[in-house]
Amino acid sequence: MRVLVEQFRPGVMERLDLGHETLAALNPRLVYCSITGFGQDGPYKDRAGYDFIIQGMGGFMSITGERDDLPGGGPQKAGVAVSDLMTGMYSAVAILAAIAQRSRTGLGQRIDMALLDTLVAMLANMNTNYLVSGAAPGRAGNAHANIVPYQVFAAADGHVIVAVGNDGQYARFCEVAGRSDLATDPRFVRNADRVRNRAVLIPLLEQAVQQHPVGFWTAQLERAGIPCGPINSIAQALADPQIVARGLRVDLPHPLAGSVSLVGTPIRMSASAPALERAPPTLGQHTDEVLRELAGMDAETLAELRKRQII
């Protein structure tokens, strides 16, 4: 870091070239990560990449959304920028791996991360389904392609997710729903039977679930050992007793707003727990501090950088 930033000093700042080879020459230990839409090579390397476009190009939207033959059918993007977020996560892992490698070799390296690469890689089992079968997976809405019932049901006052994982859980689900007859019906006894007869079974279960509120189902199914959960709004999620107990919502002092509410880190570590002490900084709040303490720049250098609108 010091070898690199010393090139900013007055009189030599114009010599700084941000090419990887030059940076490596200035500081061979430098770990340098770039994040672009399509990467540093390939026919799309010069294209602008936005998460929405990447979700479409990478195949994600082809498996997200309701089936085309049902109301509301068609491809859907995720509610958050998944390729942006996941590329950041992969990049953090890559940087840490490069630092670990540097501890053995003494050399840094360039990391080339692309949103499209990450989006394709994160399709996980869907990629495998295609590579093994040769048939591209399609959209199934909130249902599971291979397990029934494993989907969202409309309750009397909202929606509940029921994730029946085996035949025993199915039988208990039918009992809670007051439809024990569906557990012994030969069309539905085994999961393979339920998958084949999904169109017959699901409307019957939907009628039963609609008779009670979400709270009834989550309490009764949990008591019966059947995985389930409500579909919460963000407000409901942040007020959920489990989220509150885990301390995900935090309030921190802020120089302009007085106090700001934020979502904390999900990382839990026994020996070095992350400390949340400061709110996100205002624009440029710590620029001088960072350059003085980490880069060793003096007041004259900082003034020159500011005069030249570099900072």
Side-chain angles (χ1 to χ4, degrees), residues 253-274:
H254 190 275
L256 300 180
S259 177
V260 292
S261 297
L262 303 167
V263 174
T265 175
I267 298 173
R268 299 289 188 273
M269 302 174 69
S270 63
S272 55

Side-chain angles (χ1 to χ4, degrees), residues 179-238:
R179 291 299 308 266
S180 297
D181 58 305
L182 298 179
T184 57
D185 189 312
R187 296 173 297 175
F188 313 132
V189 172
R190 294 185 176 183
N191 180 66
D193 302 322
R194 296 193 293 275
V195 171
R196 282 193 297 269
N197 296 294
R198 182 196 304 261
V200 178
L201 175 61
I202 294 304
L204 299 174
L205 294 177
E206 287 176 336
Q207 292 175 8
V209 175
Q210 288 173 356
Q211 303 305 310
H212 301 286
V214 171
F216 169 87
W217 292 109
T218 55
Q220 296 299 318
L221 294 179
E222 178 65 25
R223 187 173 296 116
I226 301 167
C228 64
I231 295 183
N232 288 329
S233 67
I234 293 177
Q236 290 170 323
L238 290 176

